[in-house]
Amino acid sequence: MLTEKGLWARLRTRLIFTGPTLFAFGTVMIIPFLYGIYLTFTNWDGIAVEQSLVGWDNYIGVFKDTVFWKSFVMTLEYVFITVVLTNAVAFLLAYAVTRGIKAQGLFRAGFFLPNLVGGIVLGFIWQFIFNQVFVFAGQKMNIPLFQASWLADPDKAFWALVIVTVWQYAGYMMVIYIAGLMNVPKDVMEAASIDGASNRRMLGRIVLPLMVPSFIVCIFLSLQRGFMVYDLNVSLTSGGPFKSTEMVSMHVYEQAFLARDYGLGQAEAFVLFILVATITLLQVYFSKKLEVEA
Amino acid sequence: MLGMAKLCSLIVAMMVFIFPFLLLISNSFKANQAITSDPLGLPASFQWDNYVSAFDKMGYISAFGNSLLITVLGVVLIALFAAMTAHYFVRHNSKLNQYLFFLMVAAMIIPFQAIMIPLVKIYGSLSLLDNKWSLIYMYIGFGSPLAVFIYHGFIKSIPLELEEAALMDGCGRVQTFFRIVLPVLLPTSVTIAVLNVLWIWNDFLLPSLVLTSSEQRTLPLSTFYFYGTYTVDYGPLMAGLVLTLLPVLVVYLFAQKYIIQGVMQGSIK
């Protein structure tokens, strides 16, 4: 019924319906991605018209770039901590705002607010808070922890990034958990309640198992965002002090566009892609096994 | 009593989430000296100068216009093209289309960082950088996989009879799509629009790579450069950040329900 007669008519329909998307997708994602793999084998400096093939040199360079691995390990720590904290906070918030408290909508709107704003702006706002507000309050109220700016101390700057990340994304993940909580069938909960199950028991035995799909989505999203963090990194700490908070995504950018080593930068980006893809696929694979039927 | 304690902790949590914004707005009205000597105090008098200077130096009108054009066109085109593609994929479920669909879904795992260097090289050598139309085009490319994926899931649930009836009545394929399918897709389109507006309006890395001249800058870009050049003058800096936030806050005030719902719908699929 839905197929035209004649090759030309069919081709025309195909082009009209899928042409623009597939053309843009192909030329913006697929071709650059494949070309990027080729670039990892070259020594392009960003200016020269020609580049020569250098074999596996760039990949060897990736393993020798200690700064890359340092920032990679730090990114792993950052991702692990932010994924755990963001999801814990998000779940708690979602649980709290679905329990029939008045003005739920207002609370949800408030918690979601940071997600409307880009990482650049949020980073600058928090830079001001860490440098001015916390220091002012720390000195006024004599709290040693806040007397010097966190952003000037390598360890504390890392935690500043963690705090702002959790603050930024908890509201987004909360919204996803709310959707999950609302999908928990009411009759199952009622039955459990009649059988005398306590709130805590219902949470552990019914709600959490049924929420596994929401956890998969949220952990997937927070993993991806964590690995790719760039805006916030640039505007909150600019990788400082002394490159101590330069996350891997920012390092790739610096390597390519500032150090003008595009081949090495692209090889590092590609190594990053392989590792992130492996981690996210493993996460999805293993958490799918946990899913239960309602 | 327990309910009261819960409500109080929720209010405290809420304060943590909105306090930075309140602090920003309060300081944006203060003189520089008042900001550094007491960042927590309320403004004694309103320094509208901060706003005038930020508005001016950020090139606010131009940046706002660029952001608006790029976001609106980007989002509309992503939604339209992706809806057509997803519709075609569902209604012509051939092997080829299954592969194409799979390719798009699989590509979602590619991080932008793995593409940005070759992207800049290719489009630079074609002299297509520093141009907002190129940027819109790139957003279509990057945004279409997720949009096609979400539409695909929804279109599968629409009965085919609806379209067949229209075709019998003499509508062409394109006409059937615009008259019958697209209106049915409206709720999904709202979801797609919300997700893409949040992304494109706030995006920094891609515009920073593509747009180099100051008159092409989007709002996040001009905020970034403005902040970078006026690092000691806190008053105008705070006002500049408020100016960047303002459009988002106004939209959020009116479309809050749709935005939260859009994010919710987008995550379930």
Side-chain angles (χ1 to χ4, degrees):
Chain A
M1 184 67 231
L2 280 180
T3 318
E4 283 85 352
K5 291 192 180 74
L7 189 66
W8 169 238
R10 281 214 298 271
L11 191 67
R12 206 180 61 125
T13 312
R14 172 178 282 276
L15 276 179
I16 292 172
F17 277 83
T18 68
T21 305
L22 289 178
F23 191 78
F25 169 69
T27 52
V28 171
M29 288 195 84
I30 300 302
I31 292 174
F33 181 71
L34 298 175
Y35 185 63
I37 298 175
Y38 164 76
L39 271 187
T40 62
F41 296 104
T42 69
N43 62 355
W44 189 47
D45 62 0
I47 307 161
V49 187
E50 301 260 317
Q51 64 260 3
S52 47
L53 287 166
V54 293
W56 293 92
D57 278 10
N58 286 323
Y59 288 97
I60 296 166
V62 175
F63 285 97
K64 283 185 183 156
D65 183 355
T66 49
V67 184
F68 173 77
W69 290 108
K70 215 184 121 217
S71 76
F72 189 81
V73 170
M74 185 180 43
T75 309
L76 280 180
E77 283 171 0
Y78 165 84
V79 169
F80 180 76
I81 297 167
T82 53
V83 166
V84 171
L85 288 180
T86 306
N87 286 287
V89 172
F91 185 80
L92 278 177
L93 292 178
Y95 195 65
V97 296
T98 44
R99 311 234 71 200
I101 282 172
K102 271 184 199 150
Q104 283 178 344
L106 194 69
F107 283 114
R108 290 177 195 184
F111 294 137
F112 188 78
L113 188 60
N115 290 286
L116 297 165
V117 188
I120 285 287
V121 176
L122 295 181
F124 285 141
I125 296 177
W126 278 92
Q127 193 192 70
F128 173 73
I129 293 176
F130 278 112
N131 284 341
Q132 299 288 325
V133 182
F134 281 177
V135 174
F136 170 82
Q139 284 167 353
K140 266 270 146 75
M141 293 184 266
N142 219 353
I143 312 168
L145 186 61
F146 292 114
Q147 275 171 5
S149 171
W150 280 30
L151 301 180
D153 177 307
D155 290 326
K156 287 184 191 147
F158 174 85
W159 286 98
L161 267 172
V162 169
I163 290 171
V164 180
T165 307
V166 174
W167 172 83
Q168 181 182 2
Y169 289 134
Y172 195 92
M173 305 306 160
M174 171 198 73
V175 167
I176 300 175
Y177 285 128
I178 291 174
L181 281 168
M182 295 199 310
N183 281 338
V184 174
K186 289 272 180 305
D187 49 341
V188 178
M189 295 294 277
E190 264 165 37
S193 164
I194 290 166
D195 289 347
S198 66
N199 263 347
R200 178 169 300 178
R201 211 176 161 80
M202 291 203 298
L203 184 67
R205 293 288 171 88
I206 301 169
V207 179
L208 286 180
L210 285 174
M211 291 279 291
V212 169
S214 305
F215 279 105
I216 296 176
V217 172
C218 285
I219 293 173
F220 176 80
L221 282 177
S222 42
L223 264 177
Q224 286 232 316
R225 290 178 180 201
F227 273 112
M228 295 312 132
V229 63
Y230 178 79
D231 307 18
L232 188 67
N233 200 188
V234 166
S235 64
L236 184 65
T237 66
S238 351
F242 322 112
K243 295 216 167 211
S244 60
T245 59
E246 190 179 272
M247 297 287 166
V248 69
S249 162
M250 192 174 165
H251 181 76
V252 168
Y253 180 91
E254 306 254 314
Q255 195 64 263
F257 297 109
L258 299 178
R260 295 209 161 277
D261 197 339
Y262 288 75
L264 180 59
Q266 183 57 25
E268 288 176 350
F270 197 64
V271 169
L272 175 68
F273 157 68
I274 301 273
L275 288 163
V276 174
T278 313
I279 292 173
T280 38
L281 288 178
L282 282 178
Q283 182 253 327
V284 172
Y285 175 77
F286 281 112
S287 38
K288 282 269 176 207
K289 287 193 158 179
L290 284 172
E291 268 183 59
V292 291
E293 290 290 317
Chain B
M1 261 339 263
L2 196 69
M4 213 42 208
K6 270 187 189 157
L7 191 63
C8 285
S9 47
L10 257 184
I11 291 171
V12 171
M14 172 92 147
M15 277 314 288
V16 173
F17 277 80
I18 58 173
F19 191 62
F21 298 105
L22 300 178
L23 209 61
L24 174 76
I25 293 168
S26 147
N27 280 297
S28 72
F29 289 110
K30 285 153 65 171
N32 205 32
Q33 197 263 332
I35 296 173
T36 40
S37 66
D38 182 10
L40 286 167
L42 289 169
S45 62
F46 286 90
Q47 301 284 320
W48 290 103
D49 287 3
N50 288 344
Y51 279 91
V52 176
S53 126
F55 192 82
D56 215 39
K57 298 214 171 86
M58 278 174 76
Y60 189 76
I61 303 257
S62 143
F64 179 82
N66 288 337
S67 272
L68 192 67
L69 176 83
I70 291 165
T71 308
V72 169
L73 262 182
V75 171
V76 168
L77 293 178
I78 288 172
L80 177 66
F81 293 152
M84 294 182 87
T85 306
H87 179 250
Y88 189 85
F89 281 174
V90 173
R91 296 301 181 223
H92 295 81
N93 196 20
S94 63
K95 266 277 174 293
L96 172 66
N97 288 340
Q98 284 173 14
Y99 286 134
L100 288 170
F101 180 62
F102 176 76
L103 183 68
M104 293 193 93
V105 174
M108 281 199 273
I109 208 166
I110 302 175
F112 176 68
Q113 278 76 3
I115 294 179
M116 67 181 180
I117 296 166
L119 189 77
V120 169
K121 185 165 198 281
I122 293 172
Y123 287 83
S125 67
L126 296 170
S127 301
L128 286 170
L129 292 184
D130 200 20
N131 181 335
K132 35 181 181 279
W133 304 105
S134 305
L135 186 62
I136 294 172
Y137 176 72
M138 288 175 190
Y139 279 129
I140 297 172
F142 286 119
S144 55
L146 180 67
V148 168
F149 178 66
I150 295 178
Y151 276 125
H152 195 276
F154 187 73
I155 293 169
K156 274 195 294 194
S157 68
I158 304 174
L160 184 63
E161 285 76 16
L162 215 60
E163 292 160 53
E164 283 178 333
L167 283 170
M168 296 273 247
D169 289 347
C171 274
R173 291 296 310 273
V174 177
Q175 218 179 356
T176 306
F177 176 81
F178 280 97
R179 292 223 182 146
I180 311 289
V181 183
L182 205 55
V184 179
L185 290 179
L186 189 67
T188 312
S189 301
V190 172
T191 301
I192 306 268
V194 166
L195 294 177
N196 285 298
V197 167
L198 287 179
W199 162 49
I200 297 178
W201 182 266
N202 291 318
D203 192 26
F204 174 74
L205 186 51
L206 181 60
S208 79
L209 292 170
V210 175
L211 306 174
T212 41
S213 58
S214 57
E215 64 271 19
Q216 299 276 340
R217 275 175 198 162
T218 60
L219 219 39
L221 276 182
S222 83
T223 311
F224 180 75
Y225 287 107
F226 178 63
Y227 208 93
T229 27
Y230 293 85
T231 35
V232 279
D233 218 358
Y234 274 116
L237 285 181
M238 297 294 118
L241 293 179
V242 174
L243 283 175
T244 314
L245 278 172
L246 207 60
V248 172
L249 290 182
V250 171
V251 172
Y252 194 43
L253 216 56
F254 292 104
Q256 191 209 99
K257 200 179 95 195
Y258 297 100
I259 292 172
I260 293 190
Q261 232 162 40
V263 170
M264 237 182 225
Q265 296 295 331
S267 70
I268 299 172
K269 278 145 191 157

